[in-house]
Amino acid sequence: MEKKYHVYGAGNALVDIEFKVSPELLQVLNIDKGVMTLVDEVRQEELIKKLNGQPCKQSSGGSAANTMIAISQFGGNGFYSCKVAADEAGKFYLEDLRQCGLDTNEHNSDGEEGTTGKCLVMVTPDADRTMNTFLGISGNLSEQELVFEAISDSEYLYLEGYLVTSPTSQAAAIKAREIAESSGVKTTLSLSDPNIVEFFKNGLLKIIGSKLDFIFANEVEAAKISNTEDFSEMIAYLKSIAQGFAITRGSKGSLVFDGQGLIEIAPYPVQAVDTVGAGDMYAGAFLYGITHGMTYRQAGDLASRASSRIVTSYGPRLTTEKLKSLLTS
């Protein structure tokens, strides 16, 4: 029986505010370069004031949201569970999701009092991205935000690793995975960020359970969760926690395991200006591909092309026209 949704995603709802900065400014602001750091609201407001005057761009984001938006832009049907507050940022966020064609648990909700989460994305001239995130009300995402019927009516469940940072959102991720497993829905997870894997590995393993259908990771995240720098040992460990996986390797392309063998996916060399959303785009293109009749190799190639395209412009998104053109090129 055909499912209503190709992918059901769950993750943090964050308004991304992106700045172009120098490495020296990051040092002055005492910000760790190249990783995501959770901060409180006071610290984030302090940073926003100090960054005032730097070029910036605002969009609805969060790792899984970026992935789900890409799936929708390609032409897939998606449902996204998240939590925003009844503030201006929350209204902006929900309207943006609607414009992107996603169904969500929040469509008919007025939201709760509180502060919608924000992520300060600081991009340096080397195209590296550094994030300081205040989760706000998104940190309270719980099982209440899950729509069980929509999970069961999906081909795939997609979870972001960032959900592990809050006890309620971690519990929601585990519940979503259990519902998916009992409904025959395939389960997928992005490891999201090296810091997340380093500091929340035990929580991630609880979300993973006995074994997922697919895991997305970059090479650093894969090394941290497997606790080894040896690539063959890394692959063996990932095989023990997932039926399949994709390891993105930057300019070296990516490696996909389809449950039978390893598939090398060629890179598409470009001049990167901003790596924000590259991993999210890879997952979105890949999930679109395997839910629309592509082989793992074909889906990996589409993901490689899409993620190489996203890093040539600022922000975590491409236009729908640019993404859809990849399906015919």
Side-chain angles (χ1 to χ4, degrees):
M1 187 173 69
E2 190 172 332
K3 300 290 186 83
K4 181 176 181 180
Y5 300 106
H6 296 110
V7 184
Y8 179 111
N12 290 315
L14 301 170
V15 174
D16 285 340
I17 308 172
E18 185 170 323
F19 299 88
K20 299 178 188 178
V21 301
S22 66
E24 293 75 21
L25 181 57
L26 292 180
Q27 288 185 321
V28 169
L29 296 176
N30 196 28
I31 295 172
D32 291 334
K33 183 177 181 293
V35 296
M36 191 285 290
T37 304
L38 290 174
V39 297
D40 60 24
E41 188 171 14
V42 173
R43 169 64 170 160
Q44 192 176 72
E45 288 301 321
E46 173 193 333
L47 290 173
I48 289 173
K49 286 179 182 176
K50 289 183 177 178
L51 289 165
N52 187 30
Q54 303 292 326
C56 71
K57 181 179 178 181
Q58 181 171 293
S59 62
S60 65
S63 176
N66 292 336
T67 294
M68 296 303 300
I69 288 167
I71 291 168
S72 182
Q73 286 182 305
F74 273 118
N77 297 325
F79 190 107
Y80 187 58
S81 276
C82 60
K83 191 177 184 74
V84 298
D87 56 8
E88 286 305 311
K91 293 173 186 174
F92 166 83
Y93 192 94
L94 290 182
E95 182 55 32
D96 204 17
L97 287 186
R98 294 186 188 103
Q99 292 296 322
C100 292
L102 290 171
D103 286 347
T104 169
N105 61 299
E106 295 283 359
H107 267 178
N108 299 313
S109 171
D110 293 328
E112 298 177 20
E113 292 302 316
T115 304
T116 296
K118 298 181 184 69
C119 179
L120 306 185
V121 184
M122 292 153 281
V123 182
T124 42
D126 60 358
D128 199 12
R129 54 96 174 102
T130 299
M131 297 179 290
N132 274 207
T133 302
F134 170 60
L135 291 175
I137 202 168
S138 185
N140 297 331
L141 183 137
S142 69
E143 293 180 25
Q144 286 187 316
E145 278 69 55
L146 300 178
V147 180
F148 296 179
E149 298 82 5
I151 295 175
S152 300
D153 207 7
S154 301
E155 293 180 36
Y156 279 80
L157 168 71
Y158 178 77
L159 302 168
E160 62 175 56
Y162 292 120
L163 290 174
V164 77
T165 60
S166 150
T168 59
S169 61
Q170 179 183 311
I174 293 170
K175 183 67 174 179
R177 189 251 302 155
E178 291 171 347
I179 294 166
E181 288 172 341
S182 66
S183 305
V185 176
K186 292 188 176 178
T187 54
T188 64
L189 169 75
S190 165
L191 295 186
S192 295
D193 185 271
N195 270 358
I196 292 295
V197 184
E198 183 171 353
F199 297 113
F200 298 95
K201 180 177 175 178
N202 288 339
L204 284 172
L205 292 176
K206 289 178 183 177
I207 292 174
I208 290 168
S210 58
K211 206 167 197 181
L212 294 178
D213 286 292
F214 205 87
I215 284 178
F216 294 93
N218 65 30
E219 204 164 355
V220 179
E221 294 156 4
K224 286 187 179 292
I225 199 163
S226 58
N227 198 31
T228 179
E229 297 290 334
D230 183 282
F231 204 65
S232 59
E233 291 179 11
M234 199 184 301
I235 288 168
Y237 181 83
L238 289 177
K239 286 180 179 178
S240 75
I241 61 173
Q243 302 288 354
F245 54 81
I247 304 174
T248 55
R249 310 180 72 190
S251 61
K252 292 184 283 186
S254 56
L255 193 67
V256 171
F257 179 63
D258 64 359
Q260 301 294 322
L262 292 168
I263 305 166
E264 288 195 31
I265 305 296
Y268 285 81
V270 293
Q271 183 62 50
V273 298
D274 177 12
T275 56
V276 172
D280 304 334
M281 177 61 75
Y282 187 101
F286 190 91
L287 287 170
Y288 172 82
I290 58 177
T291 56
H292 285 77
M294 292 185 189
T295 64
Y296 275 54
R297 181 179 292 281
Q298 290 169 329
D301 183 68
L302 176 65
S304 184
R305 282 185 286 139
S307 56
S308 70
R309 188 72 64 88
I310 192 74
V311 301
T312 62
S313 60
Y314 285 96
R317 286 193 218 163
L318 292 172
T319 64
T320 299
E321 291 73 25
K322 282 184 179 178
L323 268 191
K324 285 200 166 180
S325 71
L326 297 177
L327 297 174
T328 55
S329 60

